Amino acid sequence: YGVDIDPDKIAQASEWLPNLRVAPAEELPFADASFDVILLNEVIEHVDDDQRAVQEAFRVLAPGGHIVIYAPNRLYPFETHGFFFAGTYHGPCNLPVVANWVPNTIRDYFAPHVRIYTQAEVRALFDGLNVEFVVQSHIFPGCDNWAERGLMGRLVRDVMHFAEDSP
């Protein structure tokens, strides 16, 4: 089962996958307690109301189920979604440090189309819901395609893999 707001993407994916629907994450077209696992993979940073999207995921989650969220990490040293500068969108790219580690007022100017989160900000999306956090961690993008860029690319990939195992 899955949803997306783009009818063309749903139509294309429906050619080989069943049970796909056009819907925003804030208004899921499923009955309460329908699923044992909900996966929000690179979703909450793009929706209009991230807290409402989490509330909807919780609504359709069966008792004892799990919600898995992958979202951009505020501490990651690169903005991978791209950025706006001088009236032009550039990306996707890997803009170092500038977009992720600056105050939100500056970041929102360069990347107004996507949110990034600290662990506390992800937890806050669940405020008022009766949940238990089983695991809250982080992963860095694999950067495996960077290895094709030579020694520096392999070095960046290896440093990111090392950092992923850090506390």
Side-chain angles (χ1 to χ4, degrees):
Y1 291 84
V3 299
D4 196 286
I5 60 170
D6 186 332
D8 293 335
K9 288 181 181 175
I10 291 293
Q12 183 180 7
S14 292
E15 292 176 9
W16 56 280
L17 289 172
N19 305 313
L20 302 180
R21 307 273 291 276
V22 176
E26 299 94 333
E27 299 175 30
L28 296 174
F30 306 111
D32 295 357
S34 295
F35 300 99
D36 294 322
V37 176
I38 307 290
L39 172 63
L40 300 173
N41 187 22
E42 304 281 336
V43 170
I44 62 171
E45 68 269 24
H46 296 287
V47 299
D48 290 335
D49 185 339
D50 52 357
Q51 190 162 32
R52 179 72 187 126
V54 168
Q55 291 169 346
E56 268 296 276
F58 184 75
R59 180 186 66 78
V60 301
L61 185 70
H66 296 278
I67 297 175
V68 180
I69 296 178
Y70 288 96
N73 181 348
R74 179 71 176 200
L75 301 178
Y76 186 62
F78 299 100
E79 169 50 61
T80 58
H81 286 92
F83 64 99
F84 288 96
F85 183 71
T88 304
Y89 175 74
H90 305 272
C93 67
N94 291 302
L95 180 65
V97 179
V98 174
N100 285 355
W101 294 358
V102 298
N104 280 337
T105 53
I106 296 170
R107 186 186 189 288
D108 290 346
Y109 173 79
F110 288 104
H113 58 298
V114 65
R115 295 179 202 87
I116 57 175
Y117 298 87
T118 63
Q119 287 189 5
E121 290 169 334
V122 171
R123 290 179 77 91
L125 296 175
F126 289 85
D127 284 353
L129 300 177
N130 183 20
V131 298
E132 173 189 354
F133 289 88
V134 178
V135 174
Q136 186 174 10
S137 185
H138 64 274
I139 61 170
F140 290 111
C143 303
D144 292 333
N145 61 338
W146 289 26
E148 299 171 8
R149 299 179 185 176
L151 178 62
M152 286 306 295
R154 288 190 297 278
L155 178 63
V156 168
R157 179 204 56 201
D158 293 346
V159 167
M160 298 313 291
H161 286 177
F162 176 77
E164 186 174 304
D165 291 331
S166 70

